[in-house]
Amino acid sequence: MTTIRREVLTLPAAPLGPDNPLPLLRPLDEAHRIDDRDRADLPRDMARQIDYEPLRSLLPVRIRDGYGRRRAPSGLDALVIENDRLRATVLPALGGRIASLRHKPTDRELLYVNPVLQPANFALNGAWFSGGIEWNIGATGHTTLSCSPVHAARVPAPDGGQMLRLWEWERLRDLPFQVDLWLPDGSDFLYVGARIRNPHEHPVPTYWWSNIAVPENRRVLAPADEAWLPHCPKGVGGTPIGYERRLRRVPVPEYDGIDRTYPLNSTYAADYFYEVPDDRRRWIAALDEHGHGLVQTSTDVLRGRKLFVWGTGPGGRRWQEWLTEPGTGGYCEIQAGLVRTQLEHVRLEAESEVSWLEAYGPLDASPEGDWHSVLRGAEDRLEAALPRADVDDAYDAWLPYADAEPGERLATGSGWGALEVLRAGWKLPGTPFDEDTLGEQQRPWLHLLRAGSLPEPEHHEPPGGTLVARPWRDMLETTAATPLAEYHLGVAQWHGGDRAQAVRSWERGLQSLQGLESARSPRSPRSPRSAGSARRAQGPGAAADRWPLLRCLAVADREDGHHERAADRYAEAFADLCARRPDGPRDAGGDSRWTAVAAALGGEAIGALLAAGRTADARAVWERLEPVTRARGRFRLTEAELLAAEGRREEARAVFDEGFEVADLREGAESIGLLWARLDDAPLPARYDFRMRPDRE
């Protein structure tokens, strides 16, 4: 019989720390641009889906950048689902990640298991960690739920046993989803039933890739003779997500004279999206030299298959060490998605859903020899172990249970789904978002929903996150025009692309704080406020802080190229924040709430002031940061940049000699190398070399 139980997984872990309290208003670095020269050669559905609703903003999600690199033994809540053949360990507080999948008869681990929990800046919103199987939903990139809790519960399984259900509300696209883990008695395969629902009255773009980390000393097999390769404009190797790129077909297994199905044969990081023929079974496997490994297969809805490799170059090796610890074996990723590539989004029609079934288990087959012979042999072994028809039958058996109401609750996710269900009155069988999951983050928005107003935060606390979907924006349009409401409305308008209105809202908020606004604020002709609404401008209350509004206006100025005015506003915002900050002694860690907001605002202010050539003002901001902030790797790099701008090259160079680690360094970021090149003609030291492509000419 299948069992589900709680366990505690203990391993060295770096704490996640606080989220960045400032809304991300600047464009994403994950925007994908396909060269027009390549579009004519793309299949029509692929070209259409690449252009369909790419993500342009992370709002309402916040950036997770408060983590460091100091790890200590920590206990992580885990859920274990097990039968007599397989044992899967799931981390519900970390996106429902399957951390381990162990085949008991052979005592083999089928996945790459990271021996540490080290957050790094790879998710769309920052914190992510490597290893296991993750469920990527939302938009191109690692999900914003990578390091967030999901709901979990027991539910009935089709064979009379029990399944482990994971579910959450995905906030980028406002969609509920679920993942059901099912281990039939005696099965060597873990079944995964997945469903994404669109409860809205309009179509919504969606995205899904199941991401499986496996040891990189494998050969990766997928039933394809071609792959789509995103690559540098100069055609040198592959590039990670986020770079401007070409997209072309390349042969499989050999490309440019090298068999790329062996991850360690590539020098640079690359993505290979396999072109699996429509009539072929969907599967991908990673086998070691002895022919042992993992296979993933699915119903045909999950059509895409992908291989990601880090490469053997110094940057790829450095990233591998960065994500775990020295001496740990490297990994690659095999993936399965709804479409051919991760540059595409799928149109999910109004009040509809998409669902499929995946299966994960051991495979023994020869990885060596002629490509087509190897594929035939592996496919025959897969068919013998798990016939394709059995996967389809398992899906049909699971689907009626997708609406089964959860039994014992095993973990609790966020309250955002409960808030949306309250707002819209949706009925979502199988994935209840109960009111008892509502928490402090939802409290002001629940008040807006029920009472029509936003409560003012106490003790000059930073404003919480902003809800930006159209229904919430409509409520903000008609609530009382407090400075806090103007701030949130401006953020929602900015997200919606109405930047001029956003700036006007933030300016009105400032005017209200300064006592320059009359009882009725001027409204644009199209605004509901100017159409005779009953809104009344209110004076500053407990949250009479100017810095949130000034910071938003400063971002708008930078985006419009007004760098001097942006610098002025950033300096004023930081001064206002410092004036509001409570006095009194703080321990070495500082007041985490205020330390986080001062670090976020101070870092942005220094960057804007340096861009405007105002090094003295940047230095003044630096000096007012907490010592605990200045000691962080990100701010050690900022200090070196500041010293270089002041002409103190030797002191800037000494910062490198003393050593620092930028915990939230972004994949593909080149800031460290660029600064080093300004300071020294010597090669970039290996500890700072995270470059994932050849040097530019």
Side-chain angles (χ1 to χ4, degrees):
M1 294 292 292
T2 299
T3 62
I4 299 174
R5 66 180 185 276
R6 290 186 173 93
E7 281 191 359
V8 174
L9 180 64
T10 301
L11 73 169
L16 287 171
D19 289 355
N20 191 313
L22 306 181
L24 184 65
L25 301 178
R26 305 197 73 182
L28 290 173
D29 65 354
E30 300 289 345
H32 301 291
R33 300 170 297 277
I34 300 301
D35 194 293
D36 288 340
R37 291 171 290 178
D38 296 328
R39 289 186 177 274
D41 296 328
L42 300 180
R44 288 186 180 180
D45 60 335
M46 184 174 169
R48 182 177 63 252
Q49 288 165 167
I50 286 175
D51 290 332
Y52 179 56
E53 298 291 339
L55 191 68
R56 293 182 171 85
S57 168
L58 276 184
L59 294 169
V61 175
R62 289 197 157 182
I63 297 297
R64 311 202 73 170
D65 60 1
Y67 52 88
R69 293 190 54 80
R70 183 171 298 175
R71 298 188 287 266
S74 303
L76 303 178
D77 290 336
L79 299 173
V80 176
I81 178 170
E82 183 172 14
N83 68 0
D84 58 332
R85 310 288 293 177
L86 282 176
R87 180 171 62 249
T89 303
V90 181
L91 303 178
L94 295 168
R97 181 83 58 100
I98 297 180
S100 168
L101 183 62
R102 196 158 199 91
H103 187 235
K104 295 164 67 174
T106 58
D107 196 29
R108 290 185 191 134
E109 175 59 53
L110 301 181
L111 306 174
Y112 166 78
V113 176
N114 197 332
V116 305
L117 175 62
Q118 177 55 63
N121 193 0
F122 281 73
L124 281 166
N125 63 331
W128 175 87
F129 65 102
S130 63
I133 305 173
E134 62 175 316
W135 319 112
N136 287 298
I137 181 175
T140 297
H142 291 285
T143 176
T144 61
L145 295 167
S146 293
C147 292
S148 295
V150 297
H151 302 281
R154 301 176 193 267
V155 292
D159 61 355
Q162 51 187 341
M163 296 188 293
L164 174 60
R165 174 164 298 163
L166 310 170
W167 74 99
E168 219 351 312
W169 193 273
E170 200 288 307
R171 301 183 68 205
L172 294 180
R173 303 300 197 182
D174 264 340
L175 298 176
F177 73 97
Q178 71 189 76
V179 173
D180 288 354
L181 306 180
W182 171 28
L183 270 175
D185 190 36
S187 173
D188 280 311
F189 285 84
L190 172 69
Y191 290 161
V192 178
R195 176 169 66 166
I196 306 172
R197 285 189 277 195
N198 176 14
H200 302 280
E201 296 179 350
H202 54 82
V204 176
T206 192
Y207 172 96
W208 183 279
W209 282 82
S210 301
N211 187 359
I212 309 135
V214 293
E216 65 182 351
N217 57 343
R218 299 288 189 268
R219 191 181 196 190
V220 173
L221 310 179
D225 293 325
E226 293 181 310
W228 295 94
L229 173 66
H231 61 101
C232 297
K234 296 176 183 176
V236 184
T239 60
I241 294 298
Y243 289 136
E244 185 172 3
R245 66 180 68 193
R246 302 290 304 275
L247 182 65
R248 65 181 178 189
R249 290 181 192 250
V250 297
V252 175
E254 288 192 8
Y255 162 58
D256 200 22
I258 299 171
D259 189 332
R260 306 287 177 169
T261 62
Y262 293 90
L264 291 174
N265 282 355
S266 294
T267 303
Y268 299 103
D271 303 311
Y272 295 95
F273 297 101
Y274 294 113
E275 182 65 60
V276 180
D278 289 341
D279 61 344
R280 292 294 293 271
R281 182 175 184 175
R282 268 57 177 160
W283 63 275
I284 190 167
L287 304 179
D288 66 18
E289 60 181 338
H290 304 294
H292 306 312
L294 170 80
V295 65
Q296 186 271 1
T297 187
S298 70
T299 50
D300 289 352
V301 167
L302 205 65
R303 66 170 300 177
R305 293 298 185 274
K306 173 195 169 183
L307 165 64
F308 167 76
V309 300
W310 281 106
T312 58
R317 294 299 93 190
R318 186 71 181 100
W319 275 116
Q320 292 262 33
E321 294 177 354
W322 188 254
L323 293 169
T324 177
E325 57 186 4
T328 302
Y331 75 96
C332 64
E333 294 171 356
I334 57 175
Q335 304 185 23
L338 287 173
V339 285
R340 287 181 178 89
T341 74
Q342 289 171 340
L343 311 179
E344 305 166 67
H345 295 93
V346 176
R347 179 184 174 98
L348 190 56
E349 298 296 341
E351 299 178 336
S352 70
E353 63 182 51
V354 59
S355 61
W356 62 92
L357 187 119
E358 305 178 49
Y360 296 82
L363 182 68
D364 292 314
S366 173
E368 304 294 339
D370 169 73
W371 178 243
H372 292 105
S373 298
V374 168
L375 289 184
R376 281 195 300 271
E379 206 156 35
D380 288 346
R381 297 300 295 269
L382 173 59
E383 185 67 16
L386 182 64
R388 184 178 187 179
D390 286 4
V391 175
D392 293 334
D393 290 345
Y395 170 75
D396 292 338
W398 164 75
L399 198 56
Y401 289 82
D403 284 346
E405 287 305 310
E408 179 191 0
R409 304 302 171 89
L410 301 171
T412 302
S414 77
W416 295 115
L419 185 66
E420 292 300 327
V421 167
L422 279 174
R423 179 190 62 78
W426 287 314
K427 303 297 182 184
L428 300 169
T431 55
F433 294 96
D434 299 327
E435 286 193 46
D436 61 7
T437 63
L438 292 165
E440 188 63 25
Q441 294 183 68
Q442 292 81 41
R443 184 184 63 83
W445 300 98
L446 183 62
H447 194 276
L448 176 64
L449 180 65
R450 289 176 168 169
S453 63
L454 279 173
E456 296 289 344
E458 298 179 356
H459 309 301
H460 299 286
E461 291 184 358
T466 302
L467 295 184
V468 296
R470 189 73 224 195
W472 294 105
R473 177 176 165 180
D474 290 344
M475 283 183 252
L476 290 169
E477 290 273 10
T478 55
T479 191
T482 64
L484 180 65
E486 298 285 13
Y487 163 82
H488 284 300
L489 176 59
V491 173
Q493 291 166 330
W494 184 273
H495 168 79
D498 196 349
R499 295 192 170 190
Q501 278 282 45
V503 168
R504 283 192 284 272
S505 294
W506 294 326
E507 288 175 341
R508 282 195 300 265
L510 278 180
Q511 291 168 0
S512 176
L513 285 172
Q514 295 165 347
L516 299 177
E517 189 175 55
S518 62
R520 186 180 296 275
S521 300
R523 309 295 181 205
S524 67
R526 291 188 179 184
S527 169
R529 299 183 184 182
S530 62
S533 73
R535 291 171 47 105
R536 177 172 57 86
Q538 298 182 0
D545 295 355
R546 300 173 66 243
W547 67 263
L549 295 158
L550 285 166
R551 182 264 176 178
C552 289
L553 289 168
V555 173
D557 285 334
R558 287 201 77 177
E559 289 298 294
D560 290 338
H562 303 305
H563 297 293
E564 189 64 36
R565 190 167 66 195
D568 286 339
R569 280 174 161 160
Y570 265 122
E572 188 179 356
F574 190 74
D576 183 70
L577 173 66
C578 291
R580 306 286 181 183
R581 184 165 187 164
D583 294 327
R586 286 179 287 273
D587 61 24
D591 179 321
S592 61
R593 178 191 60 191
W594 285 100
T595 299
V597 72
L601 183 58
E604 288 188 12
I606 291 171
L609 289 163
L610 289 178
R614 291 166 53 172
T615 55
D617 291 335
R619 171 63 65 181
V621 172
W622 168 264
E623 296 294 344
R624 299 188 74 175
L625 292 172
E626 289 278 338
V628 68
T629 297
R630 294 202 298 265
R632 289 172 54 187
R634 166 64 61 187
F635 286 87
R636 293 286 285 153
L637 177 60
T638 298
E639 180 183 19
E641 292 170 339
L642 179 56
L643 289 166
E646 293 170 332
R648 300 156 66 181
R649 291 169 52 91
E650 292 185 2
E651 293 174 75
R653 176 67 171 73
V655 174
F656 281 84
D657 293 338
E658 293 165 8
F660 59 86
E661 291 184 322
V662 182
D664 61 330
L665 188 69
R666 189 68 171 167
E667 179 187 7
E670 300 179 346
S671 54
I672 294 178
L674 292 174
L675 178 58
W676 174 266
R678 291 167 52 195
L679 301 175
D680 201 310
D681 293 332
L684 181 65
R687 66 182 298 182
Y688 300 119
D689 191 354
F690 293 89
R691 295 170 296 181
M692 294 174 64
R693 55 179 171 173
D695 290 334
R696 294 173 178 174
E697 295 177 0

